[in-house]
Amino acid sequence: MYTTMSSSTTTTTSPSKPQFRNKLVSSLNDIFVFVGGAILALLLLWSFCSFVSPNSTITFNISSPTRPKPTKLVEPTNSETTPPMNCAQNELAHDPPDHTFYDDPTLTYTIDQKPIKNWDQKRQHWLAHHPSLAQPDRILLITGSQPGPCKSPVGDHLLLRFFKNKVDYCRIHGHDIFYNNALLHPKMTTFWAKLPAVRSAMVAHPEAEWIWWVDSDAAFTDMDFKLPLSRYANHNLIVHGWPNMVYEERSWVSLNAGVFLIRNSQWAMEFIHAWAGMGPQTPNYSQWSKTQKATLPDKLYPEADDQSGLIYLLLEENQKWADKIYLEHEFYFEGYWKEIVGSLRNVSDKYLEMERRSTAGGRG
Ligand SMILES: *[C@@H]1O[C@H](CO)[C@@H](O)[C@H](O)[C@H]1NC(C)=O
Ligand SMILES: *[C@@H]1O[C@H](CO)[C@@H](O)[C@H](O)[C@H]1NC(C)=O
């Protein structure tokens, strides 16, 4: 069952090796220094395209009269008793009269406020009034970049290609996707910028059970990959990492915060509050920088960062958080491109084999 999972999901040029992460600190614009990895990811995409095109022609040709007609959103109204619109349209056309958390004037999307209280109940209440949006395990993928252009045009080109990769993945799997290029907290730049984006997405998308953060410089290398959500049923945060490196080596690269899945929940509200509490927007930032450095011996540079913050919370506030955090290490939920690249040949071969089988099956 897990054969697709043994191949990598996402590769990233993000930090997995301290010396690389170090470079990343200077500015978001520098994320494309690892052009090599990016190009490999792109080559894989192109190889997908090269076999998808002929197939799509075939699909077009075999469309038969027995194919179900496309569902119309608005059914013709022949009698008074026919409802003019389906449920989803009705819901979206006007706000239900019942009050939800959105009517609370103190509601805030910003990260530097206290966590929203009773968020699980508020979400459930909202979902009860928007039943057509309530699907189990609904996923919203969030990615993003800095607001301005990259220093080099190839950077902007690669941002586009990386985004297309994510859009395609989400399209195939029915996930929603949002690209955030606004700096939601002026002091939370570089890798800290993801936390305000995730926090506000939780409030703006109560329909999403999961928020899946994926760094802009990460690409899906297996477009068929499906998240094994059933094994995360009792967890609220899933991140790629190795427990022994976290708890025994206390290593800065024991996990990677560039890709994570977080459940839209009260737990996440509070966890993000604690996590962001180490960020550059707080008066405690310089103290946290020292604390993180003292906790993680192999951390190279002095400023507090989100990845070290996550490891710190696992180590030092273990009782409070760790039982809800799943360190995925049975497959590459996220991996450094150098570790992944050797396995891509086999992923491509698997898809080529599928294509051969489908043409041999008489469709061609
Ligand atoms: C800074 O640290 C103090 C002492 O631990 C704490 O009371 C305060 O809430 C922290 N401030 C922020 C903004 O996190
Ligand atoms: C690729 O597949 C072959 C044949 O199944 C296997 O022997 C090899 O270890 C795989 N390589 C990688 C890098 O997974």
Side-chain angles (χ1 to χ4, degrees), residues 268-288:
M269 282 282 167
E270 285 159 23
F271 184 77
I272 289 177
H273 184 70
W275 192 3
M278 302 181 205
Q281 83 288 9
T282 80
N284 298 345
Y285 182 52
S286 60
Q287 186 55 47
W288 277 118

Side-chain angles (χ1 to χ4, degrees), residues 340 342-346 349:
I340 302 280
S343 65
L344 294 185
R345 182 73 247 166
N346 279 7
D349 287 349

Side-chain angles (χ1 to χ4, degrees), residues 131-153:
S132 70
L133 296 173
Q135 291 164 9
D137 286 331
R138 194 171 173 131
I139 292 171
L140 170 64
L141 189 148
I142 312 267
T143 184
S145 65
Q146 80 284 359
C150 294
K151 282 179 197 158
S152 145

